[in-house]
Amino acid sequence: TSSLDPRQEGLVDVVRNRGVLRTQDLYEKWVFLEIYGQLILSFGFEPVEVEDPFADVDPTSGVLRLPKGNSYQLSRFLSSEGQEWSIEAELSYDRKIFDPPNYASSHLRPDVNLDIHLDKASGFRAIASHTTKRFRFAFDAKYRRYRALKGSGYREEDVQKYNGSHYFLDLLGTAKEKYFEGLDSDAAFVIHSDPHWESYWGEKPVEDLPGGKEQPETEGFVNHRFGSIFSTPDGEGRGIQRIERLLRCVLMYHCEIYEYCWTCGEHVAPERVTKGGEESEKGKGLLYQCCDRVWVVTNCMGKPDKHRLVKFEDPFHATDQDDDTEWSCICPKCGDLFG
């Protein structure tokens, strides 16, 4: 299992405990370093190069400096039947991405850009289903107290486009329009600091959010393609858990790498399970267990297409409030209730 060395652990403590929530700049650094750290601690990635972002952080005089535009390479090896397959990740901090394909600007600059490259020879499901080995995910950190943002310098026409809501300006204007659509990403998320807005994982339609019905161009189910996640260094680890859950959504749902245990790197043989017995189609799926983690992969019962779900005890999918089991999830793509 990968781990941070003592130098990195000390810097993480500095970032988590030294007034991180005082400025937007420090919050951006915290988000970037937590994503980097969780890729190592929870998903087993290893730095490819000697230099890593912790070497670039200068905590002198209580100031944390992380150069903008830097990119860091990581790799992860997963094994099956004596063979190893590599996953390469490139994580960039505040790097300009020039000539965005679907946005009227010379460049875009998400706070965190994560590119995932899969080995074409690996046989990962994502290669067959998407005919590509590259995924892009964009994350933008927003230090926010949305109720206090009125008259705070935003262009009035931008805010009014979203019915006067700064929250939906970030969710729809930044995550959806700028970084999901504009960069042609596989998914894009705002990560914010306002506890009054619970995390939106893209698990349900935007119109189901408070104030969502008043927003323009909502499009039904979102399929985790964009969202807005509340995460702060709260001292109890809940903010870090949300970062880990977001990366689970990225790697196991969007990249479809769910047949391997991310803790030990081994291929996991699943058990077949059904919710209603052997003759039932309801809740049929595959149960995976390894290294004290349990997850279930199943298809929804939507027609004509059935969509894959990846379920956990702490899910990123929405759960069926009328069902007494925590594993009954709603399909994020079509809304089927029997996931």
Side-chain angles (χ1 to χ4, degrees):
T1 302
S2 300
S3 61
L4 303 180
D5 63 34
R7 172 181 59 88
Q8 295 170 336
E9 289 283 8
L11 285 170
V12 168
D13 288 340
V14 169
V15 176
R16 289 177 181 169
N17 299 319
R18 185 175 297 188
V20 171
L21 295 181
R22 296 294 182 263
T23 69
Q24 169 71 25
D25 185 55
L26 287 175
Y27 185 65
E28 290 174 4
K29 290 176 172 61
W30 176 78
V31 167
F32 177 83
L33 291 173
E34 286 296 356
I35 289 175
Y36 182 90
Q38 284 304 304
L39 285 171
I40 292 173
L41 294 173
S42 296
F43 297 93
F45 281 87
E46 295 279 0
V48 173
E49 302 166 346
V50 175
E51 294 299 317
D52 60 34
F54 294 96
D56 289 333
V57 174
D58 175 17
T60 59
S61 304
V63 178
L64 296 171
R65 298 184 179 89
L66 182 65
K68 294 183 177 181
N70 281 18
S71 295
Y72 306 92
Q73 311 295 323
L74 303 102
S75 65
R76 177 66 160 114
F77 288 93
L78 302 177
S79 60
S80 176
E81 298 179 349
Q83 291 185 299
E84 284 192 330
W85 313 114
S86 68
I87 301 172
E88 308 299 327
E90 180 180 13
L91 194 69
S92 304
Y93 174 66
D94 203 15
R95 177 172 63 89
K96 289 182 180 180
I97 301 174
F98 291 96
D99 300 320
N102 301 312
Y103 201 78
S105 176
S106 63
H107 68 273
L108 288 174
R109 198 170 185 167
D111 293 323
V112 185
N113 185 80
L114 173 62
D115 288 334
I116 300 291
H117 302 266
L118 303 185
D119 186 336
K120 280 189 174 180
S122 67
F124 288 132
R125 287 182 178 272
I127 300 296
S129 61
H130 296 285
T131 63
T132 180
K133 69 169 186 175
R134 178 184 176 276
F135 296 85
R136 164 169 283 167
F137 303 95
F139 310 101
D140 212 52
K142 301 292 186 184
Y143 177 67
R144 293 288 191 259
R145 291 296 184 268
Y146 286 108
R147 295 177 181 177
L149 286 179
K150 291 184 178 181
S152 57
Y154 286 83
R155 292 198 311 173
E156 187 63 24
E157 58 267 33
D158 291 341
V159 180
Q160 288 308 313
K161 180 180 177 181
Y162 303 99
N163 201 34
S165 170
H166 291 82
Y167 172 82
F168 285 104
L169 172 61
D170 283 348
L171 172 63
L172 298 176
T174 299
K176 176 179 181 285
E177 296 174 14
K178 184 182 288 186
Y179 294 130
F180 169 60
E181 296 175 344
L183 282 180
D184 196 22
S185 300
D186 291 277
F189 288 83
V190 162
I191 300 174
H192 70 83
S193 61
D194 191 338
H196 294 99
W197 283 89
E198 289 297 321
S199 297
Y200 172 60
W201 302 90
E203 77 278 23
K204 58 188 177 182
V206 171
E207 51 262 36
D208 288 353
L209 296 173
K213 288 185 172 63
E214 289 76 41
Q215 298 308 313
E217 301 179 10
T218 53
E219 55 181 50
F221 282 88
V222 173
N223 196 26
H224 303 296
R225 292 174 297 175
F226 60 88
S228 179
I229 309 304
F230 165 60
S231 183
T232 62
D234 52 26
E236 298 179 7
R238 289 174 295 188
I240 300 168
Q241 290 169 6
R242 294 187 189 101
I243 298 290
E244 187 269 342
R245 191 187 310 176
L246 180 59
L247 291 174
R248 246 190 288 143
C249 181
V250 163
L251 293 168
M252 299 182 73
Y253 184 71
H254 285 297
C255 294
E256 299 184 76
I257 310 173
Y258 54 76
E259 296 177 321
Y260 293 81
C261 174
W262 284 94
T263 301
C264 68
E266 293 294 326
H267 186 269
V268 181
E271 304 172 29
R272 291 197 174 274
V273 294
T274 59
K275 182 177 177 180
E278 289 300 322
E279 301 303 319
S280 173
E281 288 293 321
K282 185 178 181 180
K284 183 177 289 186
L286 300 174
L287 172 69
Y288 294 83
Q289 299 184 76
C290 192
C291 295
D292 297 323
R293 294 304 301 261
V294 178
W295 64 101
V296 172
V297 178
T298 185
N299 291 333
C300 77
M301 296 299 291
K303 295 179 180 179
D305 298 318
K306 292 178 172 59
H307 308 118
R308 183 172 291 116
L309 287 80
V310 184
K311 303 188 291 186
F312 298 85
E313 287 186 289
D314 54 339
F316 40 78
H317 300 320
T319 55
D320 180 5
Q321 300 301 313
D322 296 325
D323 196 299
D324 59 0
T325 63
E326 59 192 359
W327 293 93
S328 183
C329 294
I330 298 171
C331 178
K333 194 168 185 178
C334 71
D336 175 73
L337 295 177
F338 299 103

